[in-house]
Amino acid sequence: WDNGRMDRLTLYCLYDYFNFKNPREKEILDKLDRWQKRYHICRKLPLKRYPILYGGSCWWSLSRECVRYLVEETNCHPYLYRRLRNTFAPDEVYVQTILLHSPFKLKIENDNLRYIVWETGNNNYPANLDETDFTKINSATNFFARKIEYPVSSSLVEMLENRQMSENQEKELAISVVMPMYNVAPYLRESIDSILCQSFHDFELILVDDGSTDEGLSIARSYSDPRIRIIENEHNYIDSLNKGLQAAQGKYIARMDADDRMTFERLSVQYSFMELHPEVDVCGAWHRIFGLNYKTTLRQFPQKHNEIVTCILREENPMSHPTAFIKRSFLVDHELKYDADALYAEDLQFWIDIIKAGGRFINLPHYLHEYRQSETQVIRTQSKQMFSNSCSIYFNFLGYVMNELGEQDQELWQVMEQMIKMTNKRVIPYVVLRNFVAGIYSDYLSRLNTKQEKGA
């Protein structure tokens, strides 16, 4: 800054108590500055812990670890924070000084990613941008631009929006978030906001109203975000789910429940993983349970494909449905959708159909979703039918696996036949047969994977 501008820090600048835009109060502030300079009132700087002061733009982009360091440093060593009270624009000094005295010093880029014209233009300094800046903005590597002032910048904004629309038409949409909703108005806004605030932005949000009778649809319509698409359907949950799948245009489909919340980086983490692992067709994650006076709990799920399949055979939930991140081309190629006969256990049947089609699963060992417990949950209101349908699905999948194993080994099939007879006669419990098949199938899948890896 001009002359170092140390006076902004050494003088008492009482801008928090006076309105400098008011001529009279501005005069008071100016007199106060002149009075301090005349009598050499000067506060000491810098401090021992921060021997050099650094300054710069207050627009920065920080990693999570860097933010955590800033908070901890402020809590443990608040000297600089306190010292900068009653100074002018301390936000342009505080963060820079702490980080350039930290382990992050060598990782800092002196680039705030803003396109700014530091000249007087359109009656403002820095310049208010207009259409003459479009070419330079278009060739720059910046993420943001300032200053934008209407009506001076109206034509520029329109040109930028047209460019964005043209780029979007040329590339494939990354993600379609599919979220059916039915009478969840108390939680809906919280859920939608958690999606729109994702660190990853290239997605559409498909809200399928499943014949709600509350104000949920009005809440959905109150959003003006162009990424939101609303589909209205009669009350038929499975049909609403499938309408969401059919409407999806993204490379991947991310499932979401309308009373839950996404963590800030969910879409980014799952998208990055799937891009690096094209052999995976469905990616899930861990979730955190909250709500209904429920003690906050982290729910973990098996990670590897073989473990997930075996988990189903042992009649356990293999993954969190609202964390599912699915390759859309796999569903299209195999004409897969949710089964209407599997109501209240449709996710379980969906996973099995994908497995039968050769799909590969994985659960990331990260908590990326917040799963709400409430009195209106299907797991509470329809628990009997859910249990009945789930048992039927588990039983049918066990039969499918036994047939697959039997085709590979005739002697094994004879052993399983004998165990079935003993189970029917209640000589051995059903769980023994189930666990025996799960163990054999897990070993079979491991050998199959090893063979495929050697072939590759």
Side-chain angles (χ1 to χ4, degrees):
W1 297 298
D2 295 340
N3 302 318
R5 289 304 310 273
M6 285 297 290
D7 58 350
R8 64 158 67 185
L9 304 177
T10 57
L11 299 179
Y12 287 92
C13 302
L14 306 182
Y15 288 86
D16 289 339
Y17 309 101
F18 295 89
N19 180 10
F20 71 93
K21 293 184 179 180
N22 182 302
R24 181 170 183 146
E25 296 191 27
K26 176 69 164 56
E27 184 181 354
I28 295 174
L29 288 169
D30 290 341
K31 285 182 179 180
L32 179 61
D33 284 355
R34 290 196 299 270
W35 183 80
Q36 291 182 81
K37 291 175 182 177
R38 178 184 301 171
Y39 291 98
H40 306 290
I41 295 176
C42 181
R43 293 191 289 175
K44 291 182 179 181
L45 279 173
L47 301 175
K48 289 183 179 180
R49 187 171 179 82
Y50 311 103
I52 302 175
L53 294 178
Y54 296 91
S57 164
C58 61
W59 303 294
W60 26 251
S61 305
L62 306 179
S63 68
R64 183 186 298 273
E65 292 76 17
C66 192
V67 173
R68 185 179 293 113
Y69 178 88
L70 273 170
V71 173
E72 291 175 353
E73 181 72 6
T74 300
N75 290 336
C76 296
H77 306 285
Y79 321 117
L80 182 61
Y81 180 82
R82 292 172 181 168
R83 172 59 185 76
L84 291 178
R85 288 174 180 168
N86 298 323
T87 58
F88 177 72
D91 57 329
E92 297 179 350
V93 176
Y94 184 70
V95 171
Q96 293 84 346
T97 296
I98 287 184
L99 293 184
L100 283 163
H101 286 90
S102 78
F104 294 91
K105 178 177 181 178
L106 299 178
K107 297 182 180 181
I108 294 175
E109 290 288 340
N110 190 20
D111 181 1
N112 63 25
L113 304 177
R114 267 76 175 172
Y115 176 86
I116 304 172
V117 178
W118 292 106
E119 301 172 1
T120 299
N122 293 316
N123 300 316
N124 197 76
Y125 180 86
N128 286 326
L129 306 178
D130 58 29
E131 63 272 15
T132 61
D133 295 287
F134 177 75
T135 302
K136 292 181 180 178
I137 291 175
N138 214 25
S139 60
T141 58
N142 307 105
F143 288 175
F144 310 94
R146 71 182 292 266
K147 289 185 171 182
I148 303 294
E149 182 72 28
Y150 291 93
V152 172
S153 307
S154 298
S155 296
L156 172 63
V157 171
E158 184 177 351
M159 294 167 74
L160 291 171
E161 289 177 343
N162 289 337
R163 185 194 70 172
Q164 185 67 36
M165 289 176 61
S166 177
E167 290 176 350
N168 289 341
Q169 290 172 357
E170 293 175 1
K171 69 176 183 178
E172 181 183 23
L173 182 68
I175 303 170
S176 294
V177 180
V178 175
M179 187 171 80
M181 56 187 204
Y182 178 71
N183 290 351
V184 288
Y187 316 117
L188 184 59
R189 192 172 295 279
E190 193 176 357
S191 181
I192 293 176
D193 289 346
S194 76
I195 300 170
L196 298 181
C197 293
Q198 288 289 295
S199 60
F200 189 94
H201 301 289
D202 186 17
F203 66 86
E204 62 176 352
L205 171 56
I206 302 174
L207 298 174
V208 187
D209 182 61
D210 186 39
S212 297
T213 57
D214 63 4
E215 64 271 26
L217 192 55
S218 298
I219 293 174
R221 288 172 176 163
S222 70
Y223 286 84
S224 59
D225 194 304
R227 293 173 296 180
I228 295 178
R229 296 165 57 195
I230 299 176
I231 298 174
E232 296 181 48
N233 194 35
E234 295 180 0
H235 184 42
N236 184 328
Y237 183 69
I238 303 298
D239 187 53
S240 292
L241 267 176
N242 287 328
K243 276 185 166 56
L245 296 185
Q246 293 165 4
Q249 299 176 355
K251 182 177 181 181
Y252 301 104
I253 295 175
R255 273 285 292 111
M256 177 64 175
D257 285 347
D259 55 349
D260 294 346
R261 300 186 301 228
M262 284 187 184
T263 61
F264 176 65
E265 295 181 337
R266 178 204 163 177
L267 296 183
S268 176
V269 170
Q270 290 185 299
Y271 178 83
S272 298
F273 179 87
M274 293 291 276
E275 288 291 283
L276 292 172
H277 297 85
E279 74 281 3
V280 175
D281 301 295
V282 182
C283 173
W286 296 350
H287 68 217
R288 186 176 70 90
I289 304 173
F290 75 104
L292 194 66
N293 299 319
Y294 196 93
K295 184 178 179 181
T296 300
T297 306
L298 179 65
R299 175 72 189 278
Q300 301 180 8
F301 294 88
Q303 297 176 37
K304 298 179 180 179
H305 175 78
N306 293 4
E307 296 170 345
I308 292 170
V309 175
T310 304
C311 186
I312 297 176
L313 285 172
R314 297 186 187 280
E315 299 187 5
E316 299 171 0
N317 184 11
M319 74 184 331
S320 172
H321 189 199
T323 71
F325 198 89
I326 309 167
K327 192 181 296 180
R328 185 169 68 90
S329 61
F330 185 88
L331 301 183
V332 173
D333 292 344
H334 295 88
E335 300 181 349
L336 294 175
K337 61 181 182 179
Y338 290 93
D339 190 341
D341 294 331
L343 185 62
Y344 306 129
E346 69 284 339
D347 54 334
L348 177 61
Q349 184 62 60
F350 196 43
W351 310 146
I352 291 174
D353 290 342
I354 293 174
I355 290 170
K356 289 180 179 179
R360 302 287 299 177
F361 285 74
I362 195 164
N363 278 318
L364 299 180
H366 307 293
Y367 126 67
L368 300 177
H369 185 83
E370 296 184 320
Y371 180 84
R372 187 189 302 272
Q373 291 275 12
S374 68
E375 293 290 356
T376 58
Q377 278 182 302
V378 169
I379 195 172
R380 298 179 184 280
T381 61
Q382 304 294 338
S383 58
K384 289 184 179 180
Q385 187 172 350
M386 177 184 286
F387 178 76
S388 175
N389 287 351
S390 297
C391 288
S392 177
I393 292 169
Y394 285 131
F395 184 79
N396 290 337
F397 184 56
L398 179 65
Y400 167 83
V401 169
M402 292 174 71
N403 286 330
E404 186 177 354
L405 289 172
E407 290 177 0
Q408 303 295 324
D409 189 329
Q410 187 61 36
E411 290 185 4
L412 175 60
W413 173 248
Q414 292 174 357
V415 171
M416 290 189 295
E417 271 191 324
Q418 290 301 316
M419 293 187 71
I420 292 171
K421 291 178 181 178
M422 295 173 70
T423 301
N424 290 336
K425 293 179 180 179
R426 299 185 179 181
V427 175
I428 60 174
Y430 171 75
V431 68
V432 173
L433 170 63
R434 185 192 70 193
N435 291 344
F436 172 78
V437 174
I440 295 294
Y441 197 60
S442 177
D443 181 65
Y444 165 72
L445 291 176
S446 297
R447 286 187 280 109
L448 191 62
N449 288 345
T450 302
K451 189 175 181 181
Q452 289 174 347
E453 289 173 359
K454 287 183 178 180

